[in-house]
Amino acid sequence: MVESSDPPLFVLYNEDDIDAGIESFSKSLIGRILTQKLIHLNSLQNALVGIWCNLKGFRREEISIKMFQFYFEDGDEAERILKGSPWMFRNSWLILKKWSRGQSLESVDFTKTLARVQLWGLPPHCQTQKMGFKIGACLRVVQEFDICENRERGPYVRILVEINNQKPLLTGIHVGSQKDGVSWVDFHYERLPQFCYHCGCIGQDEMCKNFTHIALGEEK
């Protein structure tokens, strides 16, 4: 056998060379925790094992600070957990995204999150699907609409909407028409994690930098 003294400058690989890696990654999820708190990896592992019902073969790898890749043996279980995103860990959102072969892990966008929002204050005759989608569009893209019943307060509109978790939460909005006048609609977010009551941003705490700038009269 003749060995070349010069190493190759390029190695071409085939799909069957990386089958095992593609299979493993295709059943994985990429996640980021929106928090200023320190994350203890063992605590995260133990919490998710409990929340996700001790899934067989589940493991996690840390990609960067507060960003992880979660591996599952069963692709259906990965899909189920993805649909449940965002999950709650220590009062903070764990946002999950599906792994994509054509996207680098560092470029995964975690700024968009699905959230269920209750709309309180709409006149009864305005609780329609069109109104739900029109009001929800102020937040972002509405995906689902329901009319729910509260025993004490009566019916209300409930929407599933994609929000930008890097912007302050919108607390409500004025709606109205020439015939009905103006009403204030409160936005009640379900399963809301820790957020700053001063600036309205998710993942902030009492040491919120945004509030510091506001208090000092500075623009961020």
Side-chain angles (χ1 to χ4, degrees), residues 11-157:
V11 174
L12 178 66
Y13 59 85
N14 301 314
E15 287 298 298
D16 59 353
D17 294 323
I18 59 172
D19 279 348
I22 294 297
E23 182 181 2
S24 175
F25 273 58
S26 65
K27 294 184 290 187
S28 73
L29 301 174
I30 314 301
R32 180 181 291 280
I33 299 176
L34 302 184
T35 183
Q36 293 180 325
K37 305 171 185 174
L38 293 176
I39 301 298
H40 299 285
L41 300 184
N42 288 337
S43 297
L44 174 64
Q45 175 83 15
N46 294 335
L48 295 182
V49 165
I51 294 172
W52 293 342
C53 302
N54 197 24
L55 297 176
K56 181 180 178 182
F58 167 68
R59 63 186 178 89
R60 60 106 184 100
E61 290 183 0
E62 187 176 21
I63 299 172
S64 60
I65 297 177
K66 299 169 187 174
M67 183 175 175
F68 307 88
Q69 187 162 8
F70 303 103
Y71 297 87
F72 307 87
E73 284 193 5
D74 189 335
D76 291 337
E77 289 291 354
E79 288 292 334
R80 175 184 66 83
I81 291 169
L82 178 63
K83 290 179 180 179
S85 178
W87 295 84
M88 197 76 76
F89 171 70
R90 293 181 59 199
N91 202 27
S92 299
W93 267 350
L94 167 61
I95 300 175
L96 298 173
K97 301 292 181 180
K98 194 173 182 63
W99 174 79
S100 174
R101 180 174 178 176
Q103 184 179 32
S104 67
L105 299 181
E106 293 75 14
S107 64
V108 178
D109 182 11
F110 293 100
T111 63
K112 300 178 182 64
T113 311
L114 289 177
R116 294 199 180 274
V117 185
Q118 301 173 11
L119 309 181
W120 288 95
L122 272 174
H125 64 282
C126 295
Q127 296 180 7
T128 65
Q129 185 179 54
K130 286 186 176 180
M131 281 293 290
F133 275 78
K134 180 170 283 190
I135 294 173
C138 300
L139 295 168
R140 207 171 173 90
V141 181
V142 179
Q143 297 197 5
E144 294 180 10
F145 165 89
D146 290 300
I147 294 181
C148 302
E149 185 75 26
N150 181 285
R151 290 184 179 180
E152 297 180 356
R153 302 178 61 182
Y156 63 92
V157 171

Side-chain angles (χ1 to χ4, degrees), residues 187-217:
F187 294 168
H188 291 195
Y189 298 83
E190 298 182 5
R191 295 175 58 201
L192 196 63
Q194 179 178 8
F195 72 100
C196 177
Y197 285 92
H198 300 296
C199 74
C201 290
I202 292 172
Q204 305 287 353
D205 56 18
E206 64 275 6
M207 301 300 292
C208 175
K209 295 180 180 179
N210 296 332
F211 177 63
T212 302
H213 285 278
I214 295 171
L216 294 176

Side-chain angles (χ1 to χ4, degrees), residues 154-199:
Y156 63 92
V157 171
R158 183 172 182 252
I159 57 176
L160 178 66
V161 62
E162 182 183 79
I163 65 172
N164 187 328
N165 57 56
Q166 297 301 299
K167 293 185 177 181
L169 292 170
L170 191 62
T171 59
I173 196 169
H174 285 101
V175 302
S177 70
Q178 290 183 344
K179 290 187 177 181
D180 292 334
V182 178
S183 302
W184 173 257
V185 177
D186 270 320
F187 294 168
H188 291 195
Y189 298 83
E190 298 182 5
R191 295 175 58 201
L192 196 63
Q194 179 178 8
F195 72 100
C196 177
Y197 285 92
H198 300 296
C199 74

